[in-house]
Amino acid sequence: MPTEEELIARAAELLARGPLLPPPAERKRLREAAGLTQQDVATALQTKRETVNGWETGRTTPRPPRLAAYQHLLNGWAEKYPLTTTPATATETFTGTTAAPPADTPTRPAAGAAAPTTASRPARTAKPSISSRRPGVKKPAPSAAADPRFENGPLAVVDADDGQMLAYCVGGLVLDCPAKTFPALVDWALTEAQLGAPRLNRNGKDADPLIVLTDAAAERLGLPAVLEDRRGLRLAEDHKVVKQLARAKWKLTKRGFGPWARVYRPAEGGKRQCVQFAILPWGALDTRSWGDTGQLPPADVAAVLGTYATRVLTPRGSTAVCGLELMSALRPPTRAVKDPGTGSWVSGPNPGSLIEPIDPAPPEAPAEHPLVAALYPRHHVRTPDQVIDEEAYDWFRPLTDEECTQGYTHAVGLDVNMAFAAAANRLVIGTGPATHVKNPAFDPKLPGSWLVDLSHIETDPRLPSPFTPKGTRPTGPAWYSTSTVAYALELGAAVQPAEAYVRYEHGAYFDAWYTRLRDAYMATMADLGVEAGMSEADFLAAMARHKSVDPRQAAVLSAIKSTVKGGIGKLRERPQSIKHKFGEPWPALSRATWSPHARAELIGKVRTNQHRKLTAWARAGLFPVAILSDCTVYLSHGPSPLDFMPHTDDGKPLPGGFRLGVSPGMVKHEGTHDFLWLAQTIEDEQINPARHIKGDDAPDSGE
């Protein structure tokens, strides 16, 4: 047994290590008593506000040289603002030399005092426990649908601060990340971190954990600040991080270690071992889709990506990649089926899904496709009777003499909300191979491509033709999707196709995709103060300020929109590599979701939906002057859409036309310019004014 003198000597050694900090709650009380903010302290000590917040919550502890300076601040404040009563979170008034007992050590509290509830720093444990979470953040009670495997959410943003690695998760949760190398980080993400998300379809796969690395964390793990290979966007094979992963038996996908890297081992016993990484300093979050999200503090990056992951899916690449992956996640190509011969469960095709890669019909394939290269010389320009041209509108017309003398003062743009997503709702596309038929009877319920002459259909010259992207009247036979030919029937035209490529296997493949993206969009708009059922005036006012309500939710909204358009563009992805040779296959062709037919059907429906509304307003005497994709420009006697939009006698929007509102398919105010600007843009510059009505270039169809 040690003697009393030996124990006193050991205690003296602890006291000699220097003054300890007061409990976290006392640190916060002293700062607030001095009337200062966390940012004030961070500026004085040349660190981040998040770091000071960590000190005050007990999540982290300052280290030299900031430790001494922080102690000096606290000691000075303690003299100026002494405690008059015992706080509920500390056992006694801070004296600069006495520490509260550790949180994991049971103690008998002094009479009249509460037991200590916080520790100066959470302990690293093999399994994240309550001590490794940010104090003060209450973890929600698990619901019946909660998956205990993914207790800490779908992703973590890992940052390095004062020599510590911290993982910021969804809901404000912060975990201590002990990993010092990439292989250790992969192991941590798959075991201790409890990250991931459950499958979106019972036949699908659970989402892999996503680890997002900040600049500081990437540097701490040995990654370069700039990815030198800007063409291949991948780390060199001889880089030390790639070698570390190889030595630990981890593999990389064919795209290598780039801004979005996937590290995996082959599945064992049906259990996946895969982690997705997003490297922020390498531009993983494209500003065109995510805005300035990549420059936000780690906790805010986690909030933005976490909201997107919860409402859409865990990011696994660009938003275009996410749009495509969401299709497969909601309608997996395979499902478990019982082998009648053996009675065991095996993988089988999932009805209604895009199951395997299928060759397009020759008119549907892009020029580089092997099918087209075998039919025409390389530089041959295919005519409308050789290639389908289903694209969004890019049309404008000269002003009439009457329009120039009516006293119009403004040009106002209307943009259709989620136009491409809205067109996907209940759209029937082919899920099997195309069958070539001669002189078929047109069937509006049969998806495919049809060679038919629609040049005899007349439309008002003040409206674009519904059959061509440029709005010009067809000059002879051309290939069209079922969506477009069905609209010709709706207009009362006689239709007799000369030939067709039809798909007898078909279904409403996009329904689940549309529903999830619609719900994500509506929930995000509600967070930004724009809800369904608003009056037209209230809706316009809410839209005018919605992007400034919460920049983080605005970033989520931008990403959702990009997911829609980018995913549709990926359906007809063309060769990306400069090494591709004309007429040879490229990687996208090996995907079941590479379907130019599906894209043509969807965009044809977008254009005909738009023309249907244009026609309804034309009957009321309103004609557009320009259209680009889902944006339409009208002349107006005032700057607001309410200055020209037609209504019925009882004040309701004109049936069949554009309607202001937040729901997909309804419209919002895109922008306004004066009439002289419009006239100059059309007459002098010969530029589509819809491209600039918002003040910058309007987006295209997303490809």
Side-chain angles (χ1 to χ4, degrees):
M1 291 290 291
T3 64
E4 183 177 341
E5 290 76 12
E6 290 174 339
L7 293 177
I8 292 176
R10 290 176 179 268
E13 289 179 6
L14 290 178
L15 290 174
R17 292 183 184 178
L20 301 176
L21 297 175
E26 177 66 0
R27 303 171 201 174
K28 179 180 179 181
R29 185 197 72 81
L30 290 172
R31 174 184 56 77
E32 292 178 344
L36 298 174
T37 65
Q38 291 179 346
Q39 186 59 54
D40 294 331
V41 178
T43 301
L45 300 184
Q46 297 183 10
T47 187
K48 301 177 183 177
R49 184 198 64 78
E50 291 78 15
T51 301
V52 177
N53 183 67
W55 298 344
E56 292 187 356
T57 59
R59 176 173 50 80
T60 59
T61 301
R63 298 187 177 188
R66 294 184 179 88
L67 175 58
Y70 191 47
Q71 287 172 333
H72 182 70
L73 268 179
L74 295 175
N75 288 337
W77 288 337
E79 292 179 4
K80 287 185 177 181
Y81 313 107
L83 277 176
T84 56
T85 59
T86 302
T89 55
T91 57
E92 57 183 345
T93 303
F94 172 62
T95 63
T97 58
T98 304
D104 55 355
T105 303
T107 60
R108 184 186 301 275
T117 58
T118 58
S120 60
R121 175 169 173 76
R124 292 177 179 173
T125 58
K127 182 178 180 180
S129 63
I130 193 65
S131 62
S132 67
R133 308 184 191 283
R134 180 197 296 269
V137 177
K138 184 177 293 185
K139 190 169 184 64
S143 64
D147 194 325
R149 297 173 300 161
F150 313 126
E151 182 181 0
N152 296 325
L155 58 90
V157 180
V158 176
D159 187 34
D161 187 20
D162 282 346
Q164 303 171 78
M165 293 277 280
L166 302 173
Y168 295 80
C169 303
V170 176
L173 176 67
V174 182
L175 301 177
D176 188 17
C177 178
K180 291 183 171 57
T181 65
F182 243 96
L185 182 58
V186 175
D187 288 332
W188 175 83
L190 289 172
T191 55
E192 302 176 32
Q194 294 180 288
L195 297 173
R199 63 198 69 186
L200 298 180
N201 182 288
R202 65 189 182 93
N203 296 313
K205 300 175 182 177
D206 297 328
D208 299 317
L210 170 62
I211 301 296
V212 183
L213 297 180
T214 65
D215 298 45
E219 180 182 1
R220 177 81 178 275
L221 292 167
L223 294 177
V226 178
L227 194 59
E228 294 182 0
D229 182 4
R230 301 309 301 169
R231 187 181 297 276
L233 289 177
R234 58 194 300 164
L235 207 57
E237 296 293 330
D238 60 353
H239 192 276
K240 65 177 183 179
V241 169
V242 178
K243 290 182 176 180
Q244 286 174 358
L245 291 169
R247 284 195 298 269
K249 308 300 183 183
W250 290 106
K251 298 179 180 293
L252 293 167
T253 58
K254 291 183 180 180
R255 63 184 177 186
F257 200 113
W260 288 91
R262 186 174 289 275
V263 180
Y264 73 98
R265 285 180 183 145
E268 295 181 358
K271 183 178 180 181
R272 289 173 60 84
Q273 300 180 81
C274 184
V275 180
Q276 176 82 52
F277 287 93
I279 317 299
L280 293 184
W282 296 355
L285 298 182
D286 192 328
T287 56
R288 292 170 296 180
S289 301
W290 295 97
D292 296 330
T293 300
Q295 306 301 318
L296 295 174
D300 289 341
V301 176
V304 172
L305 297 181
T307 301
Y308 180 90
T310 302
R311 294 176 179 173
V312 183
L313 86 166
T314 304
R316 55 192 70 178
S318 68
T319 50
V321 169
C322 292
L324 203 65
E325 290 289 334
L326 182 63
M327 297 177 194
S328 298
L330 293 168
R331 286 194 180 273
T334 61
R335 63 173 180 171
V337 296
K338 184 170 287 189
D339 187 330
T342 63
S344 60
W345 290 96
V346 296
S347 178
N350 190 18
S353 298
L354 298 176
I355 298 169
E356 59 184 359
I358 296 175
D359 283 339
E364 299 164 353
E368 306 90 344
H369 197 279
L371 285 175
V372 180
L375 294 174
Y376 307 104
R378 176 167 185 173
H379 299 292
H380 173 75
V381 179
R382 288 184 288 174
T383 55
D385 61 340
Q386 296 172 338
V387 60
I388 193 169
D389 188 23
E390 294 286 13
E391 299 292 342
Y393 272 130
D394 184 358
W395 168 87
F396 66 101
R397 63 172 176 82
L399 300 175
T400 65
D401 292 341
E402 182 181 4
E403 288 169 336
C404 292
T405 59
Q406 287 296 311
Y408 290 113
T409 57
H410 293 85
V412 180
L414 298 176
D415 183 74
V416 181
N417 303 321
M418 300 277 282
F420 296 92
N425 186 29
R426 301 307 305 163
L427 176 70
V428 176
I429 66 166
T431 56
T435 300
H436 186 216
V437 292
K438 289 282 190 177
N439 300 314
F442 176 69
D443 183 352
K445 296 182 179 180
L446 193 61
S449 299
W450 309 78
L451 180 62
V452 59
D453 189 353
L454 302 179
S455 60
H456 60 284
I457 302 177
E458 295 186 9
T459 56
D460 192 300
R462 292 169 293 180
L463 289 176
S465 167
F467 308 120
T468 63
K470 291 295 183 181
T472 56
R473 186 170 175 172
T475 58
W479 286 97
Y480 302 99
S481 67
T482 298
S483 301
T484 302
V485 182
Y487 186 63
L489 279 183
E490 184 180 322
L491 295 178
V495 173
Q496 179 52 59
E499 58 179 304
Y501 289 90
V502 296
R503 289 167 170 83
Y504 296 108
E505 297 176 33
H506 52 264
Y509 175 76
F510 292 115
D511 274 10
W513 187 77
Y514 161 75
T515 300
R516 187 158 179 88
L517 287 167
R518 177 204 63 196
D519 292 347
Y521 166 79
M522 294 294 287
T524 306
M525 291 299 289
D527 288 342
L528 292 170
V530 187
E531 299 183 0
M534 285 181 153
S535 68
E536 292 182 329
D538 289 343
F539 169 72
L540 291 174
M543 286 299 298
R545 62 176 180 268
H546 79 286
K547 289 186 178 180
S548 61
V549 170
D550 185 344
R552 296 186 304 181
Q553 290 293 338
V556 174
L557 178 65
S558 174
I560 292 171
K561 292 179 177 180
S562 296
T563 300
V564 173
K565 291 190 175 183
I568 293 168
K570 281 281 187 181
L571 292 171
R572 189 177 177 264
E573 183 178 359
R574 304 179 82 165
Q576 304 294 313
S577 174
I578 60 171
K579 297 180 181 179
H580 175 262
K581 294 183 180 179
F582 182 84
E584 292 186 353
W586 58 96
L589 302 188
S590 63
R591 295 194 312 250
T593 50
W594 191 83
S595 177
H597 148 72
R599 180 183 179 276
E601 289 283 6
L602 196 150
I603 295 183
K605 186 177 177 183
V606 170
R607 199 179 61 249
T608 53
N609 281 350
Q610 199 166 2
H611 194 273
R612 192 176 289 108
K613 292 180 172 63
L614 296 172
T615 303
W617 274 16
R619 289 193 291 265
L622 285 175
F623 294 89
V625 293
I627 306 173
L628 182 70
S629 189
D630 47 6
C631 174
T632 307
V633 178
Y634 281 92
L635 298 176
S636 173
H637 291 287
S640 169
L642 297 179
D643 292 321
F644 74 92
M645 293 184 73
H647 291 79
T648 61
D649 293 339
D650 56 358
K652 294 182 179 180
L654 192 70
F658 297 108
R659 298 182 61 184
L660 288 171
V662 68
S663 299
M666 301 178 79
V667 298
K668 62 179 180 295
H669 181 204
E670 181 72 353
T672 297
H673 276 280
D674 61 68
F675 180 82
L676 292 179
W677 171 88
L678 177 81
Q680 181 180 4
T681 303
I682 293 177
E683 304 296 342
D684 298 340
E685 300 176 11
Q686 293 293 302
I687 295 175
N688 187 343
R691 185 175 297 278
H692 302 282
I693 194 70
K694 192 175 181 179
D696 54 9
D697 285 354
D700 61 13
S701 62
E703 185 173 9

